[in-house]
Amino acid sequence: MNLFRYAWYTGASVILISIILLVSGPQKAVQLPAGFITPVIAFEFIETRTEVLDLFGHMPSQECTGLISAMDRTNKIDFIYMLAYTAFLAVFSAACAKSTGSRWFIVPAFIALVVLGADAAENIQLLMITSGLDTKDISHELMRLHIFTWIKWGGLSVIFLSLIPFMKNNGIYGRIIIVVSLCTACTGAAAYFHRSFLNEVFALMTVLMFIILIVFSFLKRTDKSN
């Protein structure tokens, strides 16, 4: 049984849901924090109530209501998305373990479950922030959001790094994955210490990592040794 074939199937669902998220999500905001260009990414890395109000606009207004509705819709769909990408990472890790006979690849599968929990908690904070934007103090939600967001994004980087031992023996494509994985981790570390356009680059690099891993699973799906 070639587990990379099943990784490809789950990876295809990740791509499909990604397209849905891209289409359904807010395409603009009233005012983004400095360095950000994507409303969804900006919201995940938001830090203060003022930034939240700048992002959506001040209540009550039709524009603010519309932006909140689009963002909430995206975050609700994201609960399905997180299940899809967790399944992909878990099956991909299992395929690496089967191919090498190494238990090391239990590690990325376990971290994927931690990331799933953090992503769910992150979404809950985001929904709580939008629901209480005009009625309550959201400082505690913002504090928890910062923690869960970085557990999620940081966890994904750690997963990519933990796959490097497998990629070493997979030719030029494996070496490309190693380079992109290292660049993703370095960008993420820089973004953690200096929130800026680096956060957008980090998010984009993470998306790129998913794409090349999904392509890799597609290329390996007919390999009899896996």
Side-chain angles (χ1 to χ4, degrees):
M1 179 176 63
N2 186 340
L3 290 179
F4 282 109
R5 175 176 297 178
Y6 296 98
W8 155 244
Y9 293 154
T10 56
S13 72
V14 171
I15 293 174
L16 176 61
I17 302 170
S18 296
I19 294 171
I20 295 172
L21 285 170
L22 187 63
V23 173
S24 66
Q27 305 301 312
K28 63 176 184 176
V30 175
Q31 181 181 331
L32 292 165
F36 287 90
I37 59 175
T38 311
V40 172
I41 299 300
F43 193 27
E44 290 191 18
F45 290 103
I46 212 84
E47 292 183 347
T48 67
R49 180 181 176 85
T50 299
E51 287 182 340
V52 176
L53 292 172
D54 287 342
L55 184 73
F56 291 107
H58 293 258
M59 294 283 281
S61 73
Q62 186 175 356
E63 183 176 28
C64 181
T65 302
L67 284 171
I68 288 175
S69 177
M71 192 71 77
D72 285 350
R73 180 173 60 247
T74 298
N75 287 323
K76 289 172 183 177
I77 296 173
D78 193 46
F79 281 103
I80 301 172
Y81 180 63
M82 67 181 72
L83 291 173
Y85 77 68
T86 299
F88 167 72
L89 291 171
V91 176
F92 192 96
S93 299
C96 294
K98 182 175 182 293
S99 178
T100 61
S102 172
R103 294 183 179 179
W104 165 256
F105 298 103
I106 296 173
V107 173
F110 174 77
I111 298 173
L113 295 177
V114 175
V115 168
L116 173 64
D119 200 352
E122 175 200 66
N123 276 15
I124 291 170
Q125 303 312 308
L126 293 171
L127 291 167
M128 289 175 69
I129 288 170
T130 53
S131 67
L133 191 56
D134 62 337
T135 59
K136 68 176 184 178
D137 175 27
I138 57 173
S139 58
H140 293 296
E141 286 82 358
L142 288 168
M143 179 185 66
R144 291 191 292 266
L145 174 65
H146 178 76
I147 295 170
F148 293 133
T149 295
W150 277 107
I151 291 175
K152 180 190 80 171
W153 289 99
L156 289 172
S157 283
V158 173
I159 290 171
F160 300 149
L161 290 173
S162 67
L163 295 174
I164 286 178
F166 177 78
M167 295 302 165
K168 283 187 192 178
N169 301 316
N170 279 277
I172 184 66
Y173 198 85
R175 289 192 286 274
I176 290 172
I177 292 175
I178 291 173
V179 170
V180 178
S181 177
L182 291 171
C183 289
T184 302
C186 289
T187 305
Y192 180 80
F193 290 107
H194 180 58
R195 194 192 68 160
S196 60
F197 183 66
L198 288 170
N199 295 68
E200 291 276 358
V201 176
F202 177 41
L204 184 61
M205 293 289 290
T206 301
V207 170
L208 178 60
M209 273 300 303
F210 270 106
I211 292 172
I212 60 179
L213 288 177
I214 292 169
V215 171
F216 182 86
S217 64
F218 175 78
L219 296 175
K220 297 280 284 184
R221 76 194 191 285
T222 57
D223 191 335
K224 300 296 184 183
S225 64
N226 296 299

